[in-house]
Amino acid sequence: MSTRYWCESAWVDGATAHGVLLTADDTGTLTAVETGIDTAPSDAEAVPGFVLPGGVNAHSHAFHRMLRGRTHGDGGTFWTWREVMYSVAAKLDPASYESVARAVFAEMLAGGYTSVGEFHYVHHAQDGTPYGSERPCGDAEDASDGVLDSSRAHAMERALARAAASAGIRIRLLDTCYLTGAIDAELSAEQARFGDGTIDGYMDRHADLIDTFAEEFPVNAPGESFVQVGAAIHSIRAVPAANLPRFAELTGPVHVHLSEQPAENEACQEAYGASPTEVLARSGVVDERLSAVHATHLSDEDIAILGGNRSTIVMCPCTEADLADGIGPARELADAGAVISLGSDQHVVLDALRETQGLEAGERLRSGQRGRFSPAELITALTAGGAHSLDLPVGALEVGKACDFVALRTDSMRTLGSLDEQIILTASASDVHLTVSGGRVRVRDGVHAELGDIADLYRQAFAALEMED
């Protein structure tokens, strides 16, 4: 059985096409993409407006969404914001984490994303005890029998996977290594649940997680690739340089927070006599599989290393603005050969269009020039760039890839009059009227097709954490 959508206009092969007929098989994989079809066939859903391949959110911390609108009262810094974040992380257990992530992933779909890279480091119980070794408090549902027993290993990772599957968003769970609280410093009490003790501890748990998810969430076709695992180095602060070469042993994507703050660069220079990028390069992990998140404070040498190795850069413009991180050298990185992608990080907003516009806005502000990234380049960053970062079969409307797309209104007060792909610079999440992943409608006019009102999901999430909404 196949599913068909007729799109009034769509982004196909790097250009705007009209009358686009998409056909997906029962696995949610595209089997045909036809253009120039004047009217919708009777067996196809007609999709008005402008259709884009589903946005790829290459950097997410799901639970950070619970801080939205709650950290601005006294200004502060990145480091004071982090303390508030730790207080929320301390509340999470598998049940509440699943509730939070389900709401966040539903909002992502409504905001124009169909895939996410979840940079996940809250692995263990509040006291640092691994799930599966001792039974911590709290139960939620389990993928196999309907009861997620938090005494089982990988309970937090299973919670994220279940949330993604229930929402219908494609997830690359970036299993994060977090061994030290700062360079040559032990983990703090707040960080205890993030760590695996040693690099061998991380590698063993990571390998078991891959095997577990391969069994519980098998992938037989591109459209079915809803839950997959990748690796992440939290930062140069959190993984000693001597441990970094171990990540070259892994296959698949490797992500890292890189040079987000000047203080990180200064500490790295003092400890290793090199920048974070140079430390990674010496360790053999800077290659096409690496995605550097933020990459805000880079030297010319850093840019040359990342670009020359065709690494991906994950820009998170709204978070970088919110935390006063600064504006990274996106244009220079792209010109050096790096792949540019986008993430929403702490979810100041979950709006794929605003995040994409923020990439160009930052470039204009720091350069005094317009058109630093063309509309086509911006669409590529949101779609194909993120697909490359996460190594997912998405990012383009083409045969053999997953049938994932979002449809934008072209007749709203924001978009009316926009010329074809220039809508990427005028639309907002409010203009996303349809989101499809795996060939299935997930969100229509802001309401999740199966989970219902997304605000209600957040009310449940705040209640689960005993936080006032």
Side-chain angles (χ1 to χ4, degrees):
M1 182 178 296
S2 62
T3 303
R4 307 177 91 191
Y5 297 93
W6 178 86
C7 310
E8 183 180 13
S9 60
W11 188 250
V12 179
D13 294 332
T16 298
H18 299 280
V20 178
L21 183 61
L22 305 175
T23 303
D25 64 17
D26 59 4
T27 72
T29 304
L30 285 167
T31 57
V33 179
E34 304 167 75
T35 60
I37 309 297
D38 292 336
T39 57
S42 59
D43 64 342
E45 177 173 347
V47 182
F50 191 88
V51 167
L52 291 171
V56 180
N57 186 346
H59 188 69
S60 160
H61 301 292
F63 77 91
H64 290 192
R65 162 61 180 86
M66 307 307 281
L67 278 69
R68 185 189 293 174
R70 303 170 81 95
T71 64
H72 304 280
D74 56 359
T77 67
F78 167 86
W79 305 102
T80 57
W81 171 90
R82 191 176 71 157
E83 294 305 313
V84 182
M85 180 270 288
Y86 284 160
S87 71
V88 176
K91 295 175 178 288
L92 295 169
D93 61 20
S96 60
Y97 206 7
E98 182 174 349
S99 181
V100 168
R102 184 168 53 243
V104 173
F105 294 152
E107 188 187 2
M108 279 187 198
L109 288 160
Y113 300 109
T114 57
S115 299
V116 60
E118 181 61 28
F119 199 105
H120 164 66
Y121 52 84
V122 189
H123 302 300
H124 308 303
Q126 283 88 342
D127 63 357
T129 302
Y131 288 100
S133 58
E134 261 182 48
R135 185 183 183 85
C137 297
D139 292 320
E141 292 190 359
D142 183 85
S144 58
D145 59 13
V147 178
L148 187 136
D149 184 349
S150 56
S151 67
R152 295 182 65 192
H154 312 303
M156 297 295 267
E157 291 75 18
R158 282 187 166 103
L160 285 168
R162 286 169 50 82
S166 66
I169 197 166
R170 219 168 288 280
I171 187 172
R172 174 73 72 174
L173 197 153
L174 298 163
D175 182 40
T176 302
C177 184
Y178 202 131
L179 302 177
T180 57
I183 296 174
D184 294 327
E186 297 293 322
L187 293 175
S188 66
E190 301 98 323
Q191 298 165 329
R193 66 187 313 195
F194 307 162
D196 292 299
T198 65
I199 188 64
D200 287 335
Y202 168 79
M203 288 292 176
D204 290 346
R205 186 184 55 75
H206 181 71
D208 188 66
L209 177 64
I210 291 174
D211 291 343
T212 298
F213 274 25
E215 180 179 345
E216 293 187 3
F217 304 96
V219 177
N220 299 308
E224 295 177 337
S225 58
F226 275 94
V227 178
Q228 297 191 66
V229 177
I233 301 159
H234 180 273
S235 59
I236 297 299
R237 303 189 312 276
V239 180
N243 296 156
L244 294 173
R246 298 293 301 277
F247 288 87
E249 302 171 8
L250 303 177
T251 59
V254 176
H255 285 223
V256 60
H257 289 130
L258 187 71
S259 294
E260 182 177 5
Q261 289 286 321
E264 175 187 335
N265 287 359
E266 293 162 6
C268 187
Q269 191 72 40
E270 181 177 349
Y272 302 121
S275 70
T277 299
E278 290 169 332
V279 171
L280 289 170
R282 292 173 186 176
S283 303
V285 296
V286 180
D287 58 20
E288 291 188 0
R289 297 182 306 122
L290 183 74
S291 288
V293 182
H294 304 302
T296 306
H297 303 282
L298 302 180
S299 67
D300 291 343
E301 292 77 10
D302 294 337
I303 293 169
I305 290 169
L306 293 165
N309 285 282
R310 292 286 296 160
S311 298
T312 299
I313 309 301
V314 187
M315 295 289 182
C316 305
C318 293
T319 287
E320 288 147 10
D322 181 76
L323 296 180
D325 287 342
I327 302 171
R331 185 68 262 174
E332 289 88 339
L333 284 159
D335 290 344
V339 176
I340 304 299
S341 65
L342 292 163
S344 65
D345 194 356
Q346 61 150 327
H347 318 310
V348 180
V349 295
L350 277 169
D351 184 331
L353 288 307
R354 181 169 161 186
E355 212 72 66
T356 307
Q357 292 154 14
L359 174 63
E360 171 64 9
E363 281 294 312
R364 293 184 184 190
L365 287 168
R366 76 182 188 90
S367 70
Q369 299 173 350
R370 300 182 81 231
R372 296 279 284 178
F373 285 93
S374 69
E377 288 177 307
L378 294 173
I379 292 172
T380 298
L382 177 61
T383 58
H388 178 83
S389 172
L390 300 179
D391 190 23
L392 291 175
V394 299
L397 299 176
E398 62 182 53
V399 172
K401 292 192 182 295
C403 182
D404 292 10
F405 67 84
V406 297
L408 307 177
R409 291 183 179 85
T410 54
D411 60 354
S412 77
M413 60 185 175
R414 291 165 295 277
T415 60
L416 191 65
S418 300
L419 299 176
D420 293 333
E421 65 268 19
Q422 292 186 49
I423 196 172
I424 197 71
L425 288 161
T426 62
S428 75
S430 298
D431 297 304
V432 177
H433 71 85
L434 187 72
T435 304
V436 170
S437 69
R440 293 172 54 187
V441 173
R442 305 296 179 173
V443 177
R444 191 186 297 273
D445 295 325
V447 178
H448 197 283
E450 296 179 4
L451 301 177
D453 183 76
I454 298 170
D456 283 343
L457 298 178
Y458 276 119
R459 293 185 184 96
Q460 296 168 25
F462 277 99
L465 292 179
E466 298 182 343
M467 294 173 64
E468 294 183 6
D469 59 23

